[in-house]
Amino acid sequence: VQLQASGGGLVQPGGSLRLSCAASGTIFSINAMGWYRQAPGKQRELVARISNDGSTMYADFLKGRFTISRDSAKNLVYLKMNSLKPEDTAFYYCKAGLRSSPATGYRHYWGQGTLVTVSS
């Protein structure tokens, strides 16, 4: 199983980006998917999470600027980021809880980070 994140880059303050993360490999079912971020010198923190029933949870610091969504049929999760600020600069990581067969339990998998840099 692999999670492949993409969509990071350099953006000016106030700009927008959309991150994507695709899960591939032997996948029976996916439970929750989410995005985390880690800025230099800081701990990794939860940004947003979406369950398989579509319910979402966001970090308080976002104040409505980001939106998480998923395409369950394609094993994709997205993060639309608006009104970006310099303090949003970080590596963004996707995470999924999934199982590879009906006989196995759920495991957490991480994608590689995609760098978002917010700077003028």
Side-chain angles (χ1 to χ4, degrees), residues 39-54:
K42 294 188 176 182
Q43 288 189 332
R44 191 172 296 188
E45 60 184 358
L46 173 67
V47 175
R49 181 179 181 271
I50 184 166
S51 300
N52 57 3
D53 64 358

Side-chain angles (χ1 to χ4, degrees), residues 9-58:
L10 174 64
V11 63
Q12 293 187 340
S16 298
L17 279 178
R18 189 179 83 154
L19 306 182
S20 301
C21 178
S24 62
T26 304
I27 298 171
F28 176 73
S29 66
I30 300 178
N31 190 4
M33 302 183 81
W35 289 95
Y36 291 71
R37 72 183 187 185
Q38 187 168 18
K42 294 188 176 182
Q43 288 189 332
R44 191 172 296 188
E45 60 184 358
L46 173 67
V47 175
R49 181 179 181 271
I50 184 166
S51 300
N52 57 3
D53 64 358
S55 58
T56 58
M57 183 182 74
Y58 294 93

Side-chain angles (χ1 to χ4, degrees), residues 9-16 37-40 42 45 61 65-66 81-92 115-120:
L10 174 64
V11 63
Q12 293 187 340
S16 298
R37 72 183 187 185
Q38 187 168 18
K42 294 188 176 182
E45 60 184 358
F61 58 77
R65 297 184 295 120
F66 294 4
M81 305 184 293
N82 297 323
S83 303
L84 283 161
K85 305 175 181 180
E87 52 264 42
D88 294 318
T89 295
F91 279 96
Y92 285 72
L115 179 61
V116 173
T117 303
V118 185
S119 175
S120 55

Side-chain angles (χ1 to χ4, degrees), residues 92-120:
Y92 285 72
Y93 299 87
C94 57
K95 179 182 176 182
L98 63 89
R99 52 179 176 163
S100 298
S101 76
T104 61
Y106 282 95
R107 286 183 56 191
H108 290 148
Y109 292 84
W110 289 92
Q112 91 292 358
T114 184
L115 179 61
V116 173
T117 303
V118 185
S119 175
S120 55

